[in-house]
Amino acid sequence: MIKSKIKNLPLFSLISLAFIVSCSSTNNMQTNDKTAYDMNIKDTKNNNQKDIIESVNKTEVKNCDVSLGCTENANTDNKPKNKTNYKLPENTPFFIADFIKNNPELDNPEQIVNLLTQQTPNDQVIKLISPATQPLRKNWLVYRSKFVEPVRIKSGISFWNQNIDLLKKVEQEFKVDASIIVGIIGVESIFGRQMGNFNVLNTLYTLSFYYPETYNKKDREKMFQKQLVSYINWSQTSKNNQYNHIGSFAGAMGMPQFMPESIQKYAVDYDKDGIINLTSSVPDVVASVANFLKQHGWKYGEKVILNVDQTSENVALLKANATGKPKPSLKFEDLPSLNLNYANHGLKPDTKMLVVDLPSGNDIEYKIGLENFYVLTRYNQSFFYALSVYELGKAISDAESANQIVAFKSK
């Protein structure tokens, strides 16, 4: 019944609904708010949109329901401390109204209104997402040392051994190399050891409406609002309707650190238990990462990167062709003087490639990235990230192969 009513409500009536429910969820509501609380939705046609927005903006968030992701009384550093009462941002009621109007299938639209109007911004999230006051100088060797290192390699070998049958099955089914799957999980969360400790709903709310003042603030807020919609939709339509998921300060979740939109598009319930669980179901995690890469064009068994002799001639040529963009725009035949012997790698003259530049202090190392390298940048656009995933996965795979050889010789 409520769904059919919501579907036909005008925009400013939906905004009024946001205000009404937010008032009803506030036990300490002021006396002068009672008129708005008692207002019937059909009467909102007599109120202009500006008045409604002003009313919503005057609404103070005083109480919160932890079951809806609100964390007012939390005392840890990663959750908002409400020392003052916040007013809802001007665009929040528009967002709520549009969300409900565009999702008429919602089982409980009033809950969504209540859910969002109870949130307060998390200052720690804002601090962590803010750009550095002074731009940091990129350093590939420093970055690499954080991800291709003994702890992750050792954890990766253990993960590989414990899930070898699963990895082989997923590799063959999705046609995605197991070493790359393992590399992503290792870089993203050290195989589940570091998955974040921020409330995802509150984090996405904060970044949707309180993004720090940057040159791309509007674009970033729109992006996070899109993720917020995906998160709510996923929580409503799946068996995960709890709104208490924990993730990173950017809203990424689970071992593979999927954003909500990626969960909706690429996550797989591989263990067939009816729930997509990227936190503790290794089958779901492995298959979801594989599906993401497959859907972005991963070429099974093919090369990711090629090394190049760092001669002065080669460096000059590569520097001149380095665009910093991840999409391959060159062909091997465009740079014949590099003498890459691409045919030995099963590649052709018209195979697409890109120049990967890796600055470390005053030095820059250059490599050749192939189509699979580009696919890795769909997970994260950073060249450093993509190469770290590849090298960590290779280190784990090589170590595991060596262990198997030693075990074979000892028999």
Side-chain angles (χ1 to χ4, degrees), residues 67 95 140-141 152 217 219 260 281 350:
S67 68
F95 173 84
W140 159 238
L141 295 179
R152 291 178 198 260
K217 173 182 171 69
D219 289 339
S281 172
D350 61 351

Side-chain angles (χ1 to χ4, degrees), residues 107 231-245 263 269 271-277 284:
D107 292 332
Y231 176 72
I232 294 173
N233 274 328
W234 172 60
S235 297
Q236 284 263 318
T237 57
S238 69
K239 294 182 180 179
N240 293 287
N241 190 5
Q242 300 173 9
Y243 301 113
N244 60 358
H245 302 92
I263 293 177
D269 177 21
D271 59 13
K272 307 298 182 183
D273 67 348
I275 300 174
I276 292 175
N277 181 354
D284 289 3

Side-chain angles (χ1 to χ4, degrees), residues 361-381:
N362 294 324
D363 298 323
I364 301 179
E365 181 183 3
Y366 293 94
K367 295 179 183 289
I368 294 296
L370 304 172
E371 289 280 358
N372 277 347
F373 185 87
Y374 172 70
V375 173
L376 291 179
T377 65
R378 300 307 84 204
Y379 212 103
N380 183 312
Q381 294 187 30

Side-chain angles (χ1 to χ4, degrees), residues 223-265:
M223 185 275 287
F224 280 110
Q225 287 172 13
K226 189 176 181 181
Q227 295 295 340
L228 180 57
V229 169
S230 292
Y231 176 72
I232 294 173
N233 274 328
W234 172 60
S235 297
Q236 284 263 318
T237 57
S238 69
K239 294 182 180 179
N240 293 287
N241 190 5
Q242 300 173 9
Y243 301 113
N244 60 358
H245 302 92
I246 302 301
S248 75
F249 65 84
M253 290 176 276
M255 292 189 201
Q257 291 290 277
F258 269 21
M259 293 296 286
E261 191 173 26
S262 291
I263 293 177
Q264 284 196 300
K265 289 182 178 179

Side-chain angles (χ1 to χ4, degrees), residues 68-313:
L68 296 180
C70 184
T71 50
E72 180 178 12
N73 298 318
N75 55 14
T76 56
D77 290 338
N78 63 348
K79 293 180 180 179
K81 301 180 180 69
N82 297 329
K83 296 179 180 179
T84 59
N85 290 323
Y86 290 94
K87 293 180 180 179
L88 296 175
E90 184 176 353
N91 56 338
T92 306
F94 287 104
F95 173 84
I96 296 173
D98 283 344
F99 177 78
I100 295 174
K101 185 176 182 180
N102 293 330
N103 294 273
E105 73 282 0
L106 291 173
D107 292 332
N108 191 347
E110 292 97 332
Q111 183 192 30
I112 303 303
V113 177
N114 196 24
L115 185 74
L116 294 175
T117 54
Q118 287 199 43
Q119 300 303 312
T120 55
N122 188 328
D123 292 338
Q124 183 69 3
V125 167
I126 296 172
K127 180 180 178 180
L128 289 171
I129 206 74
S130 296
T133 53
Q134 293 183 347
L136 299 176
R137 196 171 185 182
K138 292 183 178 181
N139 192 310
W140 159 238
L141 295 179
V142 171
Y143 185 98
R144 183 186 187 278
S145 67
K146 296 178 181 179
F147 296 101
V148 188
E149 46 83 31
V151 171
R152 291 178 198 260
I153 294 173
K154 184 177 180 180
S155 298
I157 294 171
S158 177
F159 183 87
W160 190 292
N161 288 333
Q162 292 172 11
N163 301 286
I164 187 168
D165 291 337
L166 171 67
L167 288 168
K168 288 180 178 179
K169 181 182 178 183
V170 169
E171 180 180 73
Q172 290 303 312
E173 182 176 338
F174 290 87
K175 297 302 178 185
V176 174
D177 301 79
S179 63
I180 299 299
I181 299 172
V182 171
I184 285 179
I185 301 171
V187 167
E188 291 290 347
S189 67
I190 318 182
F191 306 97
R193 289 171 58 177
Q194 293 181 356
M195 294 185 285
N197 55 359
F198 291 85
N199 179 278
V200 173
L201 174 64
N202 183 260
T203 293
L204 293 174
Y205 169 86
T206 298
L207 297 176
S208 291
F209 303 110
Y210 295 90
Y211 198 84
E213 294 297 331
T214 58
Y215 74 95
N216 59 348
K217 173 182 171 69
K218 289 185 178 180
D219 289 339
R220 297 292 286 173
E221 284 189 338
K222 287 181 180 178
M223 185 275 287
F224 280 110
Q225 287 172 13
K226 189 176 181 181
Q227 295 295 340
L228 180 57
V229 169
S230 292
Y231 176 72
I232 294 173
N233 274 328
W234 172 60
S235 297
Q236 284 263 318
T237 57
S238 69
K239 294 182 180 179
N240 293 287
N241 190 5
Q242 300 173 9
Y243 301 113
N244 60 358
H245 302 92
I246 302 301
S248 75
F249 65 84
M253 290 176 276
M255 292 189 201
Q257 291 290 277
F258 269 21
M259 293 296 286
E261 191 173 26
S262 291
I263 293 177
Q264 284 196 300
K265 289 182 178 179
Y266 308 112
V268 178
D269 177 21
Y270 202 67
D271 59 13
K272 307 298 182 183
D273 67 348
I275 300 174
I276 292 175
N277 181 354
L278 300 183
T279 300
S280 57
S281 172
V282 176
D284 289 3
V285 170
V286 170
S288 295
V289 172
N291 189 46
F292 180 97
L293 296 173
K294 176 184 177 181
Q295 297 302 323
H296 284 84
W298 184 264
K299 296 181 178 180
Y300 179 54
E302 295 193 9
K303 290 281 184 178
V304 175
I305 201 91
L306 294 179
N307 293 324
V308 183
D309 290 336
Q310 304 294 299
T311 65
S312 58
E313 294 81 3

